Amino acid sequence: MQIVIIGSGNVAYHMAKAFVLNNIPLAQVFGRNEKDLNKISEELKVPFSTEKLENADLYIICVSDNSVETISEIITKKDCLVAHTSGSLPKETLKGEYRKSSLYPLQTFSKSKELEYEKIPFFIETENEEDKKVLFEIATKISRNVMESTYEKRKYIHLTAVFACNFVNHLFSRAKEISDSQEIPFDYFLPLIDETVQKIHEIEPKSAQTGPAVRNDKRVLELHEQLLQDESLEIYKIMNHSIQKMYNL
Amino acid sequence: MQIVIIGSGNVAYHMAKAFVLNNIPLAQVFGRNEKDLNKISEELKVPFSTEKLENADLYIICVSDNSVETISEIITKKDCLVAHTSGSLPKETLKGEYRKSSLYPLQTFSKSKELEYEKIPFFIETENEEDKKVLFEIATKISRNVMESTYEKRKYIHLTAVFACNFVNHLFSRAKEISDSQEIPFDYFLPLIDETVQKIHEIEPKSAQTGPAVRNDKRVLELHEQLLQDESLEIYKIMNHSIQKMYNL
């Protein structure tokens, strides 16, 4: 089976690496950014091109949401399967006469960061049973966690991920802004952050909540508001309001 | 040196345990809740009382902020050192003729969760050098990370912790609410959450930001807003606004 990965960013790099590490041969990595493709190609010993798309049975499109439709049009072959890797696009975004599918890896990808691919949940949607079997076989070589998902469900998976990952990371950014302003090294907070996350492996997050809002400690809440401004103050107020709503305080 | 811990909650339990595990003898654990004290006392083999406070050289008050002042008044001895463990109270909250101090452990404490005490940063504030030396000696037996901190600085440390821990945990609660509503097991998100946190051990959170807001993907942002309501929608809007502000989008 000939497989081509399309894209040269973080997702393309990690998907290609996951394939190669699990002995699933790749016929090509195809994209626009020659420099990035060259790096992927050298590291993973996979051919690349920026011009001629290789003939394949399966194309996996790993580009940003905005580019999926345009990129999908370059695949003119009909008898093949095409998968995109987006959490928030229906498989019908793919434009072509091939069979359409979605292969969504639930993870945050940064190029410079090693990942344990076997732990990444993969969500699969296809047009028929045959294609489903193909994607399951491939994905289960990479990960222990492969499931089906409709577009309806995938949208909510992606939305949940935005709260649990993107927003959490932004809270770290705002937290660091506060500690930086007082010349407090952000490293001090890493054991606390690690513990916050380890906890929810054992306890429901709702039961693990601590802090002034859930204690309804008005003195501390007011004190903190005086120390904050702009976006951080807005976040502070909304988050406390939301905590107090959740616990009926 | 005679040391007494006052309190019977999560902080008192973990502080007492950290002392005992590091061979720092405790003369007593004192508090109001006999049942909880009895459990601590049995597990750690430390005497407890709800009535008669033991004579000591150092009292460590581990109760909620609201109760620190009241509890501090039961210590009538003058020639002793008293420390509270609050992140957001000045040491002057302690009411008595003894020497006042603060011993602030930067961590989130849940009784049922084991902790690596040697990683917890401790922040110390005292009235004089002698007392500082005493608290440093004790805290460094527990942790590798012991520092001085003024009340001014400690307030900001606590505020940063609210963003990096309390608010992060609340995002997990709201995320779980979303995934629960679609019968998507929250366990699926644990590898993503773990990776989100592992990342910031290596990369600045500002450089690690991913997601639709930092990509300025208006289609996804609008799609998500349609899936949300109430507090989660408010959080969604404020967080995206704050992300876009931070990256000048």
Side-chain angles (χ1 to χ4, degrees):
Chain A
M1 182 172 203
Q2 291 267 104
I3 305 173
V4 165
I5 285 186
I6 299 177
S8 57
N10 298 340
V11 180
Y13 166 72
H14 280 289
M15 287 292 276
K17 194 170 167 186
F19 275 65
V20 169
L21 287 179
N22 289 288
N23 303 312
I24 313 168
L26 290 175
Q28 185 185 54
V29 182
F30 182 88
R32 281 174 303 193
N33 189 320
E34 183 157 357
K35 201 179 140 210
D36 287 349
L37 286 174
N38 193 39
K39 268 174 85 174
I40 298 175
S41 171
E42 279 200 0
E43 183 183 335
L44 306 176
K45 317 284 175 224
V46 173
F48 81 93
S49 173
T50 58
E51 283 167 14
K52 199 190 165 303
L53 187 65
E54 189 66 66
N55 183 40
D57 308 297
L58 171 63
Y59 295 92
I60 303 174
I61 298 180
C62 307
V63 302
S64 65
D65 283 17
N66 295 330
S67 310
V68 169
E69 185 168 339
T70 316
I71 282 281
S72 77
E73 288 172 344
I74 67 165
I75 306 164
T76 51
K77 194 179 170 185
K78 292 181 186 177
D79 181 25
C80 65
L81 177 62
V82 179
H84 72 60
T85 48
S86 160
S88 53
L89 289 174
K91 61 185 188 318
E92 291 72 24
T93 302
L94 300 168
K95 292 287 177 294
E97 292 181 55
Y98 41 74
R99 302 184 314 281
K100 290 152 191 166
S101 65
S102 147
L103 175 67
Y104 174 49
L106 178 59
Q107 189 49 280
T108 170
F109 296 96
S110 298
K111 226 169 224 168
S112 56
K113 178 74 184 61
E114 301 239 331
L115 282 173
E116 297 175 278
Y117 300 114
E118 75 276 9
K119 285 189 187 167
I120 301 176
F122 279 85
F123 296 92
I124 284 171
E125 189 189 7
T126 58
E127 288 177 1
N128 61 51
E129 288 298 311
E130 186 80 5
D131 291 338
K132 194 198 295 173
K133 226 182 107 189
V134 168
L135 289 187
F136 259 91
E137 259 176 39
I138 291 171
T140 48
K141 283 185 190 169
I142 296 170
S143 166
R144 291 181 307 223
N145 247 326
V146 185
M147 290 144 288
E148 257 192 287
S149 172
T150 60
Y151 171 55
E152 260 321 297
K153 205 166 173 177
R154 193 166 66 247
K155 276 194 293 195
Y156 281 96
I157 295 170
H158 184 228
L159 177 60
T160 306
V162 169
F163 276 72
C165 164
N166 305 150
F167 289 173
V168 163
N169 185 74
H170 184 61
L171 283 180
F172 295 149
S173 295
R174 289 292 179 197
K176 186 168 185 297
E177 202 174 54
I178 297 167
S179 61
D180 282 355
S181 78
Q182 305 299 312
E183 293 172 0
I184 302 159
F186 191 63
D187 282 359
Y188 291 176
F189 300 91
L190 292 177
L192 174 69
I193 289 169
D194 289 344
E195 173 63 17
T196 303
V197 163
Q198 278 172 37
K199 245 194 210 182
I200 61 152
H201 283 256
E202 301 178 21
I203 310 172
E204 294 254 320
K206 200 172 165 182
S207 312
Q209 189 65 49
T210 55
V214 74
R215 284 199 313 269
N216 202 12
D217 188 334
K218 295 200 171 68
R219 187 194 64 85
V220 173
L221 296 175
E222 274 169 35
L223 175 73
H224 284 170
E225 287 190 12
Q226 286 161 17
L227 304 178
L228 290 166
Q229 55 222 334
D230 302 330
E231 282 72 35
S232 295
L233 179 58
E234 282 176 48
I235 291 173
Y236 192 81
K237 286 180 177 171
I238 288 282
M239 293 300 287
N240 287 329
H241 170 75
S242 177
I243 291 170
Q244 300 211 317
K245 259 285 186 144
M246 183 172 267
Y247 297 87
N248 300 314
L249 296 171
Chain B
M1 184 175 203
Q2 291 267 101
I3 304 173
V4 165
I5 285 185
I6 299 177
S8 56
N10 298 341
V11 180
Y13 166 73
H14 281 290
M15 287 291 277
K17 194 169 167 187
F19 275 66
V20 169
L21 287 180
N22 290 288
N23 303 312
I24 312 168
L26 290 175
Q28 185 184 55
V29 182
F30 181 88
R32 280 174 303 191
N33 188 319
E34 184 156 358
K35 201 178 140 210
D36 287 350
L37 285 174
N38 193 39
K39 269 172 84 175
I40 298 175
S41 169
E42 279 200 0
E43 182 183 335
L44 305 176
K45 318 282 175 225
V46 172
F48 81 92
S49 173
T50 58
E51 284 169 13
K52 199 188 165 303
L53 187 66
E54 189 66 65
N55 183 40
D57 307 297
L58 171 62
Y59 295 91
I60 302 174
I61 298 180
C62 308
V63 302
S64 65
D65 283 16
N66 295 331
S67 310
V68 169
E69 184 169 339
T70 316
I71 282 281
S72 78
E73 288 172 347
I74 67 165
I75 306 164
T76 50
K77 195 180 168 185
K78 293 181 186 177
D79 181 27
C80 66
L81 178 61
V82 179
H84 71 60
T85 49
S86 159
S88 55
L89 289 174
K91 60 185 188 317
E92 291 72 25
T93 303
L94 300 168
K95 292 286 178 292
E97 292 181 56
Y98 41 73
R99 300 180 320 276
K100 291 151 192 168
S101 65
S102 147
L103 176 66
Y104 174 49
L106 178 59
Q107 189 49 280
T108 170
F109 297 96
S110 297
K111 225 169 227 170
S112 56
K113 179 73 184 57
E114 299 239 331
L115 282 172
E116 295 175 280
Y117 301 113
E118 75 276 10
K119 286 189 186 166
I120 300 177
F122 278 85
F123 296 92
I124 285 171
E125 188 190 9
T126 58
E127 288 177 2
N128 61 50
E129 288 299 311
E130 187 80 4
D131 291 339
K132 193 197 298 175
K133 226 183 106 190
V134 169
L135 289 187
F136 259 90
E137 259 176 39
I138 291 171
T140 48
K141 282 184 189 169
I142 296 170
S143 164
R144 291 180 306 222
N145 247 326
V146 184
M147 289 144 289
E148 257 191 284
S149 172
T150 60
Y151 171 55
E152 259 323 296
K153 205 164 175 179
R154 192 166 67 246
K155 276 194 293 194
Y156 281 97
I157 295 170
H158 184 229
L159 177 60
T160 306
V162 168
F163 276 72
C165 164
N166 305 150
F167 289 173
V168 163
N169 184 75
H170 184 61
L171 283 180
F172 296 149
S173 295
R174 289 291 177 198
K176 185 168 185 297
E177 202 174 55
I178 297 167
S179 61
D180 282 356
S181 77
Q182 305 298 313
E183 294 174 0
I184 302 159
F186 191 64
D187 282 358
Y188 291 176
F189 300 91
L190 293 177
L192 174 69
I193 289 169
D194 290 344
E195 173 62 17
T196 303
V197 163
Q198 278 172 37
K199 246 194 210 182
I200 61 152
H201 283 256
E202 300 178 21
I203 310 172
E204 293 256 318
K206 201 173 165 183
S207 312
Q209 189 65 48
T210 56
V214 74
R215 284 199 314 269
N216 202 13
D217 189 335
K218 295 201 171 64
R219 187 194 65 85
V220 172
L221 295 176
E222 273 169 34
L223 175 74
H224 284 170
E225 287 191 12
Q226 285 161 19
L227 304 177
L228 290 166
Q229 56 222 333
D230 302 331
E231 283 72 36
S232 294
L233 179 58
E234 283 176 47
I235 291 173
Y236 192 82
K237 286 179 176 172
I238 288 281
M239 293 300 287
N240 287 329
H241 169 75
S242 176
I243 291 170
Q244 300 210 316
K245 259 292 196 140
M246 183 172 266
Y247 297 86
N248 300 313
L249 297 170

